[in-house]
Amino acid sequence: MNRYFRYILFFCLFAFAIGFSYSQDSGSGNDFAKKNDKGFSAYIDYPVFYKDFTSLFLFNVEMALIKRDRLINPAFSIGFGMGFSKYGVGPYAVPIEFKLLYGKSNNKIETGLGIMPIGADVAINARFGFRMYLFEHLLLRLAYTPYFIVPYGDREQDEPYIEIKSDLSIGIGYRF
């Protein structure tokens, strides 16, 4: 088995093990507001216009510290992504992002900053988006995500040091 697929399998099993440990909380003895303090979710994110030579798919796990009486809630996500093209599996990415979620209902506005190594390059990204929880567990996301890519290695003459790409990312996931 390929070494990268072992890493992906280990990461997925680890993420689901963490998710199921939070989802087994029965809530006995806790009131409803205390039970919903942690928001663990796993989702697939797809940057629509990110087309260097591949289509990038990102699998993320997120921990949000949600309290019903707060308007602004922090969240942290980490993930793993792969690029797919007609030539095979392309560069690998590891997105790490810190977010703030605004809102008290199931519809929230999110902003965030992150860093994402993509192959040999590094992308610093920002996120301005909207998320909604449907049926208590289904997570839908839509966000504007500009990337500031710092390439590794030599650049051609008159090529900028930092490349800026604007993108729209969509995501679907499950909230535990």
Side-chain angles (χ1 to χ4, degrees):
M1 185 183 271
N2 192 346
R3 179 177 63 162
Y4 294 113
F5 290 114
R6 288 183 196 166
Y7 293 145
I8 294 167
L9 181 62
F10 174 75
F11 182 74
C12 292
L13 291 174
F14 180 73
F16 284 114
I18 290 173
F20 287 128
S21 67
Y22 285 116
S23 66
Q24 297 299 321
D25 183 18
S26 65
S28 61
N30 297 336
D31 59 349
F32 184 72
K34 289 285 184 191
K35 185 176 183 298
N36 288 319
D37 279 351
K38 295 180 183 121
F40 181 80
S41 38
Y43 58 90
I44 295 175
D45 205 14
Y46 175 65
V48 177
F49 301 116
Y50 184 85
K51 304 276 191 225
D52 272 347
F53 56 89
T54 63
S55 294
L56 192 64
F57 288 91
L58 305 169
F59 174 76
N60 294 304
V61 291
E62 177 183 76
M63 175 60 103
L65 301 173
I66 297 174
K67 290 195 177 184
R68 297 259 180 213
D69 57 344
R70 273 196 309 215
L71 182 63
I72 301 172
N73 296 298
F76 175 77
S77 68
I78 188 166
F80 182 78
M82 290 190 302
F84 295 97
S85 71
K86 63 182 178 181
Y87 304 112
V89 178
Y92 298 98
V94 181
I96 301 168
E97 198 169 309
F98 176 76
K99 302 175 207 142
L100 292 175
L101 307 174
Y102 301 93
K104 291 185 179 182
S105 67
N106 284 341
N107 301 329
K108 297 185 184 306
I109 294 174
E110 66 177 305
T111 60
L113 289 173
I115 187 167
M116 179 170 50
I118 304 173
D121 302 336
V122 175
I124 299 168
N125 66 323
R127 180 176 301 276
F128 307 100
F130 178 75
R131 70 167 51 196
M132 68 176 12
Y133 298 108
L134 298 173
F135 312 114
E136 293 295 320
H137 295 288
L138 182 64
L139 169 64
L140 298 175
R141 302 174 70 228
L142 179 66
Y144 169 69
T145 310
Y147 294 101
F148 305 95
I149 298 176
V150 180
Y152 176 77
D154 296 332
R155 287 175 297 287
E156 305 219 359
Q157 186 176 2
D158 298 330
E159 189 174 315
Y161 182 70
I162 296 176
E163 187 179 347
I164 300 172
K165 294 186 176 190
S166 294
D167 206 346
L168 180 71
S169 64
I170 56 174
I172 186 167
Y174 186 80
R175 178 179 166 193
F176 297 94

